[in-house]
Amino acid sequence: MLDTGDRAAAQTLLARVVDAHHRLELVWADGGYTGSLIEHCLTAFALVIAVVKRSDNMRGFVVLPKRWIVERFFAHLMRTRRLARGFERRTSSAEAMIYWSMTLLVTRRLARPRPSRG
């Protein structure tokens, strides 16, 4: 396994994402993705990285804008017990498990009874 830092891996990942999704213009990231990555993405891909930082004077748990969406997504994945650990040997089977987990979530939401508008 290679020892690659988050910023270097983010450059590679964002290059692939931009190739697949041409309309992508904005990416939210946490404080670990500052520095040269922001300039590189802006010049190479015309992609803006908006860093959502936690203020130094905050104490305890504080909901940060946009980051709660990612945390909620990970929580939904962890409800599928097989995804809570690194059991998958191939990325293709891990990807299939993510699709399965999200399918369960969406079908539960669709099957939920809706209140009448009467």
Side-chain angles (χ1 to χ4, degrees):
M1 184 175 211
L2 296 174
D3 187 19
T4 305
D6 286 348
R7 292 180 193 168
Q11 283 185 356
T12 306
L13 175 69
L14 289 172
R16 291 181 182 180
V17 169
V18 168
D19 284 342
H21 303 281
H22 304 289
R23 295 177 58 192
L24 184 66
E25 296 176 358
L26 173 67
V27 173
W28 290 299
D30 69 0
Y33 297 96
T34 57
S36 63
L37 176 65
I38 294 174
E39 290 86 23
H40 172 75
C41 288
L42 189 58
T43 58
F45 312 123
L47 185 65
V48 175
I49 297 182
V51 177
V52 180
K53 288 187 178 181
R54 179 184 166 106
S55 176
D56 291 337
N57 60 0
M58 290 182 185
R59 289 235 180 258
F61 177 76
V62 177
V63 177
L64 297 175
K66 304 298 180 192
R67 284 186 55 181
W68 68 270
I69 298 169
V70 175
E71 297 300 330
R72 181 184 60 184
F73 172 73
F74 288 144
H76 286 305
L77 289 181
M78 293 305 115
R79 285 182 53 199
T80 309
R81 289 177 43 164
R82 188 166 168 175
L83 290 171
R85 304 281 188 271
F87 291 130
E88 307 304 323
R89 291 181 185 257
R90 297 180 312 181
T91 56
S92 61
S93 62
E95 182 181 0
M97 292 303 299
I98 291 170
Y99 282 124
W100 175 64
S101 178
M102 290 295 104
T103 302
L104 286 174
L105 174 69
V106 170
T107 53
R108 283 187 196 123
R109 286 184 181 174
L110 289 173
R112 187 180 313 153
R114 296 182 184 201
S116 63
R117 293 185 179 184

